[in-house]
Amino acid sequence: MTISARTLFPLLFASLLLFGCSSKDPEEPARETSPRLTPADVDGELLATGGDGSSWVAANFNYQEQRFSPLDQIDRSNVSRLGVAWTAELPDARAQEATPIVVGRRMFVTGPWSKIFAFNAVTGEALWSFDPEVERSVLRNTCCDAVNRGVAVWRGRLYLGTLDGRLISIDANTGAQLWSTQTTDRSQPYTITGTPRVVDNKVIIGNGGAEFGVRGYVSAYDANDGRLLWRFYTVPNPEGEADNAASDQVLRRAAARTWSEEGQWRESGGGGTVWDAIVYDHELDQLYIGVGNGSPWNHGARSQGRGDNLFLSSIVALDPDTGEYLWHYQETPGESWDFTATQHIILADLRMPVRDEEGGIVEGEDGEPRTESRKVLMQAPKNGFFFVIDRTNGELISADPFIEGINWAEGYNLETGRPIENPAARFYRTGEPFISNPGPIGAHNWQPMAYNRETGLVYIPANIAPQIHVPAPGEGPIALGDIGFNTGGDWSDINLPRDEEAIRAAISMVTGQLVAFDPVAGEVRWTADYPTPWNGGIMTTAGGLVFQGTAMGQFKAYDAASGEELWSMDTQSGVLAGASTYQIDGVQYVAFTTGRGGAFAITAGRADRAREIPNIPRLVVLRLGGDGRLPPAPAGDERRLDPPESTGSEAQIAQGQRLFNRYCLVCHGEGAVGGGVNPDLRFSGILGDSEGWRDIVIGGALRSNGMPSFSSAFDGSGANAIRHYVIDKANWDLERIRARREEEGEG
Ligand code: CA
């Protein structure tokens, strides 16, 4: 469908009456707007373009997923006049990862526990909300918080994937559930955090869970009734049987021989979950899925160190009608570092240099490089290289680093399409620990990037966060099927030493960047540096702007061409999700959420400089001349560490530390320092109460909050050892805090 220009004077006039500030603020004349667009109008034709930008109808704007808005009322010259139009408080202080979707005058945003909230996009009036009532015990199956990255809109309905694996269809006008179908086996640790995509009345959805042991797949359901239409498994059936699925043939023909006969994948399912990028190419009628890491991570344990393990860490093109395989490109063969290829994929047509057979650039008669238009897809996955791939056939065009200091590979051989690896990276072969850059949170994670057609640059929310991989001898990996994070590596000893200088040195290596990357030249054009990783997703506009929120609690606008910071606001809380923009009655708005959490905030503990930033779940909407205010900032966290005296024996504390690192670290933070999402155990009121502690850790007393019983992993004396470790660690931290205060007091 197309959006026609309409005469909107009555509505514009009404909005002026409601918002006196508009009259004080001479805006540009209204451009084409479509406030009468309704969710019923969202179909394949609208999704192909995203319309004129007055609405933001899909998580990443349109089928190309460029996150580029054609709106330009807010531009370089006036962005400093952005102010608050309205705000809405959201209920759950966990990671907010969804971009607000706007259709006409309605806004839909999802939050933790897979809840949906609908608002009037102009006034902020709450219209309805939907809570699928996800059982909180599912939290134990999440690697990365109880998050959700958004709904799909299609012909009057919303489609939601829930943390416990349901796909739900909802009436966009009323919030009423129309149908619900379970897409996963509830007896296995599958979760859904990603956004469904709708293609020709088929709802496509994947899942997550590779850290706990599952086999990845993507499915298509009938948008009308939730009937399963096809399923594509990303890795072979560990039982060696056919699945009677669309993937059967290609798994038998091409993938099976890339896996070992023996190996833990037979029990753990192999991984390869499709938890984020699913992109529809309406020009070529192809679907691209980004496939995740192996289960377990360690290639030596998973597949005896043998084989590429297709289709792990690959982009796979499928026929959207049938789910049949079309082509694939594997970014990280024999994946062993949690290097997913699930990250955001952007489609574009780029003028790329013509290359000869040796890969040299071909010059024209004028001496300038010859160029040709190519249909490409672009991805900046965890492994640190920016991939440009010919989407007609999966051919690798270029793979260039988008962060500095990548050490697992020095680059890619463009002829074979394979990485040129550093042998030390295969820690299971060398038997030596390997400090990998990027680490498992990736040089880029789920936070969406954006492509600005006018500057030709891709803007990537990048992380510089190395992490050590320790081969499995020693305490060894967590047994398969047991409770806990199963990576096939030894996590028992990986925490930083109790040495102030070593801690500071390690933390100083962990930072974040906004990277403006030229996909044609394969080069970084400019960067903005942040003190911590895990900053927000990106949105870019025809106003020449790049918008990004930060972990440290700002929302910023940059000049898309030069990288100059043009404007910044204090958001009181960290920002993770990408913003959206829309225009109603002649006024352009920018919308985003605040709220901390997700993988890095939960696990990184003391390396996370943002952990003291308040966690405020809130929707914030801005406009030029907006004169609203954020609610008053909460008082600072007044909690003081006050642990009981440390009475555990040295052996007990050491055992507790090993158990903590294996079983507790992933949720409660490295070094027992909480990230402001799950409880910081050093502050626990029952540290001195060994029975109360045991009731929770062994007895499962807080099961309904998502804290499971660990009785299958260790007994009461193990739980007590963990308690003694946390007490000891809290006392050690308290000493450091006191010493620092004295230093500051004297200085
Ligand atoms: Ca993973």
Side-chain angles (χ1 to χ4, degrees):
M1 65 162 289
T2 51
I3 299 169
S4 59
R6 294 174 195 270
T7 310
L8 294 163
F9 290 122
L11 287 166
L12 183 60
F13 186 66
S15 82
L16 288 172
L17 289 177
L18 279 166
F19 295 95
C21 53
S22 301
S23 56
K24 287 181 287 187
D25 178 45
E27 303 289 359
E28 285 177 26
R31 56 179 281 149
E32 189 176 7
T33 57
S34 54
R36 289 192 188 137
L37 191 77
T38 73
D41 300 318
V42 180
D43 59 9
E45 221 178 304
L46 178 58
L47 285 167
T49 64
D52 64 358
S54 55
S55 287
W56 184 282
V57 294
N60 292 328
F61 188 69
N62 58 14
Y63 275 149
Q64 290 84 3
E65 310 217 0
Q66 293 177 352
R67 298 183 64 85
F68 170 79
S69 167
L71 297 182
D72 60 2
Q73 181 180 87
I74 302 167
D75 64 20
R76 283 177 274 226
S77 72
N78 61 20
V79 66
S80 61
R81 292 197 297 119
L82 272 180
V84 172
W86 57 270
T87 64
E89 303 303 293
L90 300 170
D92 299 295
R94 290 184 169 277
Q96 312 291 325
E97 296 192 352
T99 298
I101 287 171
V102 177
V103 182
R105 311 180 83 88
R106 261 167 281 192
M107 178 185 290
F108 307 103
V109 64
T110 63
W113 305 113
S114 326
K115 295 176 186 174
I116 313 176
F117 306 92
F119 296 94
N120 177 312
V122 174
T123 65
E125 179 198 355
L127 302 176
W128 54 259
S129 64
F130 176 81
D131 180 357
E133 295 177 353
V134 171
E135 239 181 73
R136 298 310 189 248
S137 61
V138 176
L139 196 63
R140 64 173 277 186
N141 296 336
T142 65
C143 62
C144 311
D145 209 347
V147 298
N148 185 279
R149 284 183 292 279
V151 289
V153 188
W154 181 263
R155 294 181 179 161
R157 296 176 175 192
L158 307 183
Y159 294 90
L160 170 75
T162 66
L163 199 64
D164 53 10
R166 284 172 284 165
L167 179 66
I168 300 179
S169 171
I170 291 142
D171 184 315
N173 288 325
T174 64
Q177 178 175 313
L178 300 170
W179 55 255
S180 170
T181 185
Q182 186 68 39
T183 72
T184 57
D185 176 350
R186 282 298 308 272
S187 72
Q188 293 190 43
Y190 284 105
T191 50
I192 298 178
T193 58
T195 306
R197 290 357 184 243
V198 188
V199 178
D200 189 24
N201 231 36
K202 296 178 191 67
V203 190
I204 323 286
I205 188 72
N207 45 54
E211 271 65 48
F212 302 87
V214 297
R215 179 183 180 213
Y217 58 87
V218 59
S219 320
Y221 292 87
D222 188 307
N224 293 328
D225 55 18
R227 191 164 43 95
L228 178 65
L229 299 174
W230 55 256
R231 178 162 290 174
F232 185 92
Y233 288 92
T234 60
V235 296
N237 185 324
E239 314 281 326
E241 290 160 13
D243 300 298
N244 200 16
S247 42
D248 278 358
Q249 216 192 341
V250 71
L251 291 179
R252 193 175 60 239
R253 178 167 54 79
R257 64 171 180 270
T258 69
W259 291 76
S260 66
E261 281 296 317
E262 310 284 323
Q264 288 186 6
W265 76 277
R266 296 277 182 192
E267 296 159 72
S268 65
T273 49
V274 182
W275 54 261
D276 199 50
I278 299 172
V279 182
Y280 177 60
D281 182 338
H282 72 277
E283 285 180 81
L284 302 176
D285 193 28
Q286 298 185 145
L287 191 70
Y288 311 115
I289 60 171
V291 183
N293 55 278
S295 178
W297 295 354
N298 181 340
H299 185 228
R302 184 178 68 242
S303 187
Q304 300 176 296
R306 292 184 208 146
D308 288 349
N309 291 182
L310 292 174
F311 292 102
L312 294 183
S313 197
S314 302
I315 293 171
V316 184
L318 303 176
D319 179 334
D321 291 329
T322 61
E324 299 283 337
Y325 167 92
L326 298 172
W327 55 256
H328 80 276
Y329 171 71
Q330 186 174 44
E331 293 173 348
T332 313
E335 194 287 306
S336 204
W337 309 273
D338 194 19
F339 284 166
T340 60
T342 51
Q343 279 58 48
H344 180 194
I345 293 170
I346 287 178
L347 311 185
D349 291 355
L350 295 184
R351 285 212 75 84
M352 301 296 292
V354 177
R355 291 181 185 272
D356 60 26
E357 277 173 16
E358 269 92 58
I361 289 176
V362 176
E363 288 181 357
E365 279 173 14
D366 55 359
E368 293 292 309
R370 265 174 55 199
T371 61
E372 59 186 340
S373 178
R374 297 190 72 170
K375 293 192 182 305
V376 306
L377 65 80
M378 300 184 279
Q379 189 184 43
K382 280 189 180 183
N383 79 15
F385 291 92
F386 188 96
F387 290 86
V388 181
I389 292 166
D390 184 327
R391 61 183 210 264
T392 65
N393 57 15
E395 181 201 335
L396 175 64
I397 297 174
S398 62
D400 295 291
F402 62 90
I403 63 160
E404 286 181 6
I406 296 172
N407 68 354
W408 73 276
E410 60 184 74
Y412 275 72
N413 177 329
L414 293 182
E415 237 164 273
T416 62
R418 298 179 73 88
I420 304 157
E421 281 188 17
N422 169 7
R426 300 263 168 203
F427 55 92
Y428 57 86
R429 245 175 235 159
T430 65
E432 296 293 324
F434 176 65
I435 298 174
S436 170
N437 186 31
I441 74 156
H444 175 215
N445 205 295
W446 62 267
Q447 288 88 340
M449 57 186 196
Y451 169 63
N452 189 310
R453 275 177 248 162
E454 292 172 4
T455 62
L457 300 178
V458 177
Y459 305 92
I460 308 160
N463 306 308
I464 292 90
Q467 187 177 306
I468 193 164
H469 291 272
V470 183
E475 201 87 7
I478 290 167
L480 281 163
D482 202 346
I483 187 166
F485 218 58
N486 189 339
T487 66
D490 184 356
W491 283 48
S492 58
D493 225 12
I494 63 167
N495 69 325
L496 297 164
R498 290 197 193 180
D499 174 303
E500 192 79 359
E501 260 178 54
I503 291 169
R504 283 190 187 163
I507 292 173
S508 70
M509 289 167 64
V510 177
T511 59
Q513 256 183 349
L514 165 56
V515 174
F517 192 89
D518 179 339
V520 174
E523 287 170 5
V524 174
R525 287 285 176 244
W526 56 261
T527 63
D529 295 327
Y530 298 126
T532 189
W534 214 242
N535 297 290
I538 315 284
M539 185 266 288
T540 186
T541 71
L545 298 171
V546 169
F547 290 95
Q548 185 185 25
T550 74
M552 298 301 286
Q554 290 104 32
F555 187 71
K556 293 174 183 288
Y558 295 90
D559 182 318
S562 70
E564 184 192 347
E565 183 179 314
L566 300 172
W567 170 83
S568 176
M569 77 174 271
D570 175 6
T571 53
Q572 301 178 357
S573 180
V575 181
L576 286 171
S580 58
T581 186
Y582 56 98
Q583 185 156 310
I584 300 177
D585 303 339
V587 178
Q588 185 184 352
Y589 298 86
V590 173
F592 64 96
T593 55
T594 66
R596 305 189 49 250
F600 182 73
I602 285 173
T603 62
R606 52 187 153 164
D608 185 2
R609 283 163 207 255
R611 72 170 185 273
E612 306 294 339
I613 305 288
N615 196 349
I616 305 170
R618 177 182 292 151
L619 181 57
V620 180
V621 179
L622 310 173
R623 52 167 292 173
L624 291 178
D627 58 3
R629 286 175 193 281
L630 298 183
D637 190 348
E638 287 300 313
R639 286 190 313 171
R640 300 266 171 171
L641 271 180
D642 185 22
E645 202 184 325
S646 181
T647 57
S649 70
E650 217 168 290
Q652 231 172 356
I653 292 165
Q655 184 204 359
Q657 174 171 330
R658 284 197 306 275
L659 289 174
F660 182 93
N661 287 349
R662 295 184 83 194
Y663 295 103
C664 318
L665 177 156
V666 169
C667 292
H668 292 286
E670 195 276 325
V673 179
V677 183
N678 294 320
D680 186 319
L681 298 180
R682 300 169 307 156
F683 292 88
S684 167
I686 56 160
L687 273 181
D689 171 6
S690 64
E691 269 180 42
W693 183 272
R694 188 197 166 100
D695 283 348
I696 293 169
V697 178
I698 301 296
L702 293 181
R703 200 176 271 120
S704 60
N705 293 5
M707 167 65 192
S709 159
F710 282 81
S711 61
S712 65
F714 47 80
D715 60 10
S717 76
N720 203 37
I722 293 170
R723 187 178 67 88
H724 280 299
Y725 161 66
V726 176
I727 292 173
D728 192 64
K729 179 60 177 38
N731 278 290
W732 192 85
D733 286 343
L734 184 57
E735 273 173 45
R736 302 278 85 65
I737 291 166
R738 285 190 179 135
R740 206 160 53 230
R741 277 203 203 115
E742 267 172 39
E743 223 174 84
E744 282 164 9
E746 282 164 16

